[in-house]
Amino acid sequence: MADCKEKLFDQFPPVSTEEWMEKVTADLKGADFNKKLVWRTNEGFNVKPMYRAEDTENLKTTDSRPGEYPYIRGTKSDNNWLIRQEIIVDDVTVANKKANDILTKGVNSLGFHVEEAHITPENMAALLKDIDVENIEINFHTCIKNAAKLIETTGAYYKSIHVDTTKAKGSFNYDPFKRMLKRGRDFANYATQAASLIKSASELLPKFRVVSVDAVMFNNAGSYISQELGYALAWGNEWLSALTEAGLSVDEAAKQIKFNFGISSNYFMEIAKFRAARMLWAQIVTAYKPECNCSTKMKTHAQTSEFNMTVYDAHVNLLRSQTETMSAALSGVDSITVTPFDITYKTPDDFSERIARNQQLLLKEESHFDKIVDPGAGSYYVENLTISIAEQAWKLFLETEDKGGFYQAVKDGYIQDQINASSVARHAAIARRKEILLGSNQYPNFNETAAGKIEKQDSCGCGCNHNHTCEPEFATLKFDRGASDFEALRLATERSGKRPNVFMLTIGNLAMRLARSQFSSNFFACAGYKIIDNLGFDTVQAGVDAALEAKADIVVLCSSDDEYATLAPEAKKALGDKAILVVAGAPECMDELKAQGIDQFINVRSNVLETLQAFNAKLSI
């Protein structure tokens, strides 16, 4: 057996694309292939149900190797990444103790969020005490006005303890555009100040990156993947253009930029996004004619999304963030932060932070994701997604450049308007269940309450804990999570002090009544109503009597379309005005039923959110 050289698949004849299509067409039984199986992405391109070798024949993405220009397959020769955890510094001693503790638990990159009061030589020494800064990546976040002081203080501390600064790596995350996008406040001298900071940091800490592209903001604001990438590239190009005009070489400027991306739950799209990002960024930097190809490498940090996180059934956030982390890891990013599952309603505690760390450790230590470089390479599907996303992102990049560049587009409110529009569209899709948030708009935990666990947090997000009351000068990004509308609806029910009873009047066709009962139960549970399900009744009157005995506020008639013509009027007559009658489905006799005063229907085409909001209003919630 050891000497057997026979290839298993040589025993089978090849199957052509034409043969596959003939089989698919036969199985579709006359349905249109493009309408039935080809789907249109939110990113603006079509995805086929199957790809074959010929779909990659003209793609250049398969020509390079990991670590080679244009770095589509990664900027490294391995797939190791840094596990990063964020620390809000309220007390430097406490923060240092926490940092040293988590460094023994798998973390090798720290993100300190510091206030101005903590930026002193004594505090810096206390904050970084016993941390091996030559081997642990240190990343700082602070308000832009504190950046210069932070760089000088950090540099002085490293010098005082004789750190080999050629080994020490990290970032300062100087980001004036964050203020513009979140607060609507201009910062016209960003290039001059950034150039000064870079000069200072280059002398003190040459391996630290100073300026950032915080595209994670777009992700958390509800952008589509192509928007996040396209506008991130325009943002990065704004830095290149401004810094070279300020006197830096393109090599100096490019090596100071760090991209912070978000990660959505669109698994394969996210893998393709990071591959496309490196390729496009390399081409952008190349246009500035750098002296070294190494300057075209994109430095990427990835952070799991907050847009799709939920307050209700919050442990499902772990499932979402796990697949997101997998996407980033497989695509070859440099570092990852997993957002703790409870961040939507409280300050993450030790448990949630430990689980967040372990999510990455599972991928490394048990799944060995760090051992294989770019496993998606050569996949017909992933390679085509990479090119498609790259093309859509490039269009947005060029549009932004045509509008005067990223800075001007932000001042004009163009970027914000585009992303906010996408967020509105996604909220509408969530309202109709075209986009699913498990536990919120689909399959909710019927009896869960959340009002008591929510802690109010007021922060500008930069670690300074300042409230901002200045009126914006231009449009800002909106950061309403996808589940926020459903959460507001359900919280209103909780806080009203009364929980409506929804009674399933199941009757007739066994399969249909059970299916529609399950659908209706999940539908109304999204508003926090109490669900009273039943196996079935022999007569409508028996069902109505049971509903009234259960003090039902809403009675949902669950049966087959054919039976509604007689069952619904009978239920309406027996129920009268003692409860609201709802018919589960969209029967052909709907107009006839409406003429008889039966006007409440729920089905797969319903806008779940608006329908439930209307019921809340009817029930005075």
Side-chain angles (χ1 to χ4, degrees), residues 386-615:
T386 300
I387 293 302
S388 296
I389 287 176
E391 289 174 348
Q392 293 302 116
W394 192 251
K395 288 179 184 177
L396 294 178
F397 168 76
L398 294 178
E399 286 178 8
T400 307
E401 292 304 300
D402 288 341
K403 293 184 178 296
F406 185 78
Y407 171 69
Q408 189 60 48
V410 171
K411 279 192 66 177
D412 294 339
Y414 171 75
I415 303 288
Q416 300 91 307
D417 289 344
Q418 294 298 306
I419 292 176
N420 288 340
S422 296
S423 178
V424 169
R426 291 187 67 185
H427 276 264
I430 291 168
R432 292 183 174 276
R433 286 182 174 169
K434 291 182 179 180
E435 183 173 339
I436 300 299
L437 287 175
L438 197 65
S440 291
N441 71 341
Q442 183 69 289
Y443 304 122
N445 183 336
F446 287 16
N447 297 313
E448 181 183 9
T449 58
K453 71 180 183 181
I454 297 174
E455 300 174 5
K456 187 177 180 181
Q457 296 185 72
D458 293 315
S459 171
C460 71
C462 64
C464 68
N465 293 321
H466 290 166
N467 291 318
H468 296 265
T469 57
C470 298
E471 285 294 321
E473 300 170 0
F474 39 79
T476 60
L477 291 177
K478 302 184 186 304
F479 294 93
D480 297 328
R481 288 177 295 105
S484 60
D485 296 325
F486 277 92
E487 289 168 357
L489 175 76
R490 192 163 177 177
L491 285 169
T493 302
E494 274 192 51
R495 291 164 176 162
S496 70
K498 56 182 178 180
R499 190 183 183 195
N501 293 325
V502 181
F503 187 92
M504 301 297 150
L505 201 167
T506 51
I507 189 171
N509 183 285
L510 178 62
M512 291 304 300
R513 78 192 191 200
L514 291 179
R516 282 177 163 162
S517 174
Q518 183 183 51
F519 170 82
S520 302
S521 296
N522 282 309
F523 192 104
F524 283 102
C526 290
Y529 296 175
K530 181 180 180 181
I531 307 301
I532 305 171
D533 203 357
N534 300 280
L535 293 177
F537 296 95
D538 294 328
T539 65
V540 168
Q541 188 61 54
V544 169
D545 290 343
L548 294 178
E549 184 177 351
K551 298 181 180 180
D553 298 286
I554 298 171
V555 176
V556 184
L557 184 63
C558 301
S559 189
S560 65
D561 287 357
D562 294 339
E563 294 170 294
Y564 280 142
T566 56
L567 294 178
E570 187 178 345
K572 176 66 176 176
K573 182 178 179 181
L575 195 60
D577 296 327
K578 297 172 184 175
I580 301 171
L581 177 64
V582 178
V583 175
E588 291 184 5
C589 62
M590 185 184 295
D591 290 337
E592 297 173 12
L593 296 179
K594 287 182 178 179
Q596 298 177 59
I598 303 169
D599 58 359
Q600 298 297 325
F601 298 83
I602 60 170
N603 51 69
V604 293
R605 292 188 294 274
S606 297
N607 185 311
V608 182
L609 178 66
E610 291 182 0
T611 302
L612 292 175
Q613 287 173 334
F615 276 110

Side-chain angles (χ1 to χ4, degrees), residues 147-148 150-152 154-155 165 168 170-172 194-211 256:
L150 178 60
I151 291 172
E152 292 172 5
T154 307
T165 55
S171 65
F172 289 107
S196 175
L197 294 174
I198 289 172
K199 181 179 179 181
S200 175
S202 297
E203 295 173 355
L204 297 169
L205 300 163
K207 294 293 185 178
F208 271 62
R209 299 206 172 211
V210 174
V211 298
Q256 289 293 334

Side-chain angles (χ1 to χ4, degrees), residues 348-414:
D349 55 25
D350 291 341
F351 173 75
S352 62
E353 290 182 337
R354 177 169 66 86
I355 294 298
R357 291 193 299 272
N358 289 349
Q359 286 181 259
Q360 295 195 59
L361 292 174
L362 282 170
L363 298 183
K364 279 193 175 187
E365 305 302 329
E366 295 192 23
S367 301
H368 306 296
F369 277 26
D370 58 332
K371 300 297 189 292
I372 306 297
V373 182
D374 192 24
S379 161
Y380 309 148
Y381 181 49
V382 173
E383 295 290 2
N384 276 274
L385 283 185
T386 300
I387 293 302
S388 296
I389 287 176
E391 289 174 348
Q392 293 302 116
W394 192 251
K395 288 179 184 177
L396 294 178
F397 168 76
L398 294 178
E399 286 178 8
T400 307
E401 292 304 300
D402 288 341
K403 293 184 178 296
F406 185 78
Y407 171 69
Q408 189 60 48
V410 171
K411 279 192 66 177
D412 294 339
Y414 171 75

